[in-house]
């Protein structure tokens, strides 16, 4: 009887690390606008990982927008892929707490990924570091808005190091005294700052489906053609200069067949160009009326869309929002 009892106790102790919950916390940098001004803030993200079946649960106060919820699921997948870990045996409980009226945007993706990797891989994160950035396939960290406001909030909260996307600093100079800026472009680089260790994901050959390549190429063609008129401008101002820089890099990247990046760059080029054009229009009311009717038409076409998959539904909800 004693041997059997000891065996059961040993089996129980052996199983504890695999059945007990893991929990952790990481700060989130936020930015909110009031009128013509904006200010940064700090939210808190908590994660508890329990034995389960691969579900993701999100509890937020105040409510999060749909893009935040989707980016949380993407971040969890990127973290599991980074560690080459089968996450179908766990459930992930994310909790967001903020003083903002609503939490929105995908800029928490990098932080969510870092925290998820830390818990799954048993890595200790520095409590002196904070991060902002989106997360994309392959562990790439994408640009976000409101960098200066977020850095001020981080400094006021006594963080000494702020990790920001390298691409967010490509065409601007950001400097906030009292906090060290660490530009990164991958999740590996961010983890090195947080942990002090070099964590390397195994390189794998990425094979893009032909349909994806064709879709991205078509999108890049469309967005770059919309922005190409910036080359005709001779006046020199910040918006035109930024637009031309984004457009030029977009076309260069296009020649390298990096169509997704090309589309993103040309989209930003077009955005800068349209901002300049609308600011200098004499009859802005007429343009505003045309845009209003275009939005009504788009809303009608979205309502008529044939939704057949969960991806269709997510895309529909994002466009409607």
């Amino acid at each position: 009887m004693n041997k059997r009892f000891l065996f059961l106790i040993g089996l129980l102790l052996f199983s504890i690390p695999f059945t007990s919950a893991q929990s952790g916390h990481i700060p989130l940098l936020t930015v909110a606008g009031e009128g013509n001004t904006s200010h940064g803030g700090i939210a808190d993200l908590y994660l508890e990982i329990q034995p389960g079946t691969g579900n993701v649960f999100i509890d937020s106060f105040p409510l999060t927008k749909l893009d935040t919820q989707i980016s949380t699921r993407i971040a969890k997948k990127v973290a599991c892929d980074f560690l080459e870990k089968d996450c179908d045996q766990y459930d992930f409980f994310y909790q967001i707490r903020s003083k903002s009226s609503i939490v929105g945007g995908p800029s928490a993706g990098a932080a969510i990924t870092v925290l998820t990797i830390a818990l799954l891989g048993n890595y200790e994160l520095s409590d002196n570091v904070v991060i902002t950035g989106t997360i994309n396939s392959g562990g790439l960290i994408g640009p976000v808005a409101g960098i200066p406001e977020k850095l001020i909030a981080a400094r006021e909260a006594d963080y000494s190091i702020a990790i920001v996307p390298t691409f967010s600093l490509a065409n601007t100079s950001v400097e906030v005294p009292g906090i060290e800026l660490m530009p990164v472009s991958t999740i590996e680089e961010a983890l090195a700052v947080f942990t002090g260790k070099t964590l390397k994901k195994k390189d794998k050959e990425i094979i893009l489906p032909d349909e994806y390549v064709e879709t991205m190429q078509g999108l890049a063609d469309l967005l770059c053609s919309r922005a190409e008129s910036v080359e005709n401008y001779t006046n020199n101002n910040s918006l035109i200069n930024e637009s031309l820089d984004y457009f030029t890099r977009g076309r260069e990247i296009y020649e390298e067949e990096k169509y997704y990046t090309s589309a993103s760059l040309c989209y930003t080029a077009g955005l800068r160009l349209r901002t300049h054009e609308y600011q200098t229009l004499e009859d802005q009311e007429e343009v505003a009326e045309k845009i209003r009717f275009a939005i009504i038409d788009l809303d009608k076409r979205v309502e008529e869309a044939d939704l057949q998959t969960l991806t269709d539904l997510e895309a529909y909800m994002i466009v409607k929002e």
Side-chain angles (χ1 to χ4, degrees), residues 127-251:
D127 57 7
N128 205 27
V129 180
V130 69
I131 184 173
T132 183
T134 65
I135 193 66
N136 303 281
S137 298
L140 300 178
I141 296 179
V144 294
I147 295 292
E149 294 85 354
K150 291 177 179 179
L151 292 179
I152 293 173
R155 182 189 61 190
E156 292 177 349
D158 294 327
Y159 293 99
S160 60
I161 299 176
I163 301 175
V164 300
T166 300
F167 194 75
S168 289
L169 306 178
N171 292 283
T172 185
S173 176
V174 178
E175 184 177 348
V176 175
I179 189 163
E180 183 180 1
L181 207 59
M182 296 292 291
V184 301
S185 56
T186 67
I187 200 67
E188 292 97 325
E189 295 173 357
L191 286 167
V193 179
F194 266 105
T195 66
K197 301 177 181 179
T198 301
L199 307 178
K200 182 67 176 176
K201 180 183 178 181
K202 295 181 180 179
D203 293 330
K204 293 182 177 179
E205 182 182 3
I206 299 176
I207 301 176
L208 299 177
D210 291 339
E211 183 180 5
Y212 171 84
V213 174
E214 292 173 2
T215 300
M216 288 298 105
Q217 184 177 11
L219 186 59
D221 287 334
L222 174 63
L223 293 173
C224 289
S225 66
R226 288 181 176 178
E228 65 183 3
S229 61
V230 70
E231 293 183 308
N232 300 327
Y233 279 82
T234 57
N235 55 321
N236 191 17
N237 63 58
S238 59
L239 282 172
I240 293 300
N241 289 340
E242 287 182 16
S243 176
L244 183 58
D245 181 54
Y246 277 110
F247 175 75
T248 301
R249 288 192 291 136
R251 295 304 301 178

Side-chain angles (χ1 to χ4, degrees), residues 7 40 47 88 96 116-117 141 150 167 172 183 187 223 229 232 234 243 250 252 261-262 277 285 312 314:
F7 172 77
L47 169 60
D88 289 341
I96 298 175
T116 306
I117 290 175
I141 296 179
K150 291 177 179 179
F167 194 75
T172 185
I187 200 67
L223 293 173
S229 61
N232 300 327
T234 57
S243 176
E252 291 173 351
T261 304
S262 174
E277 291 177 344
E285 291 185 3
D312 291 342
E314 290 175 342

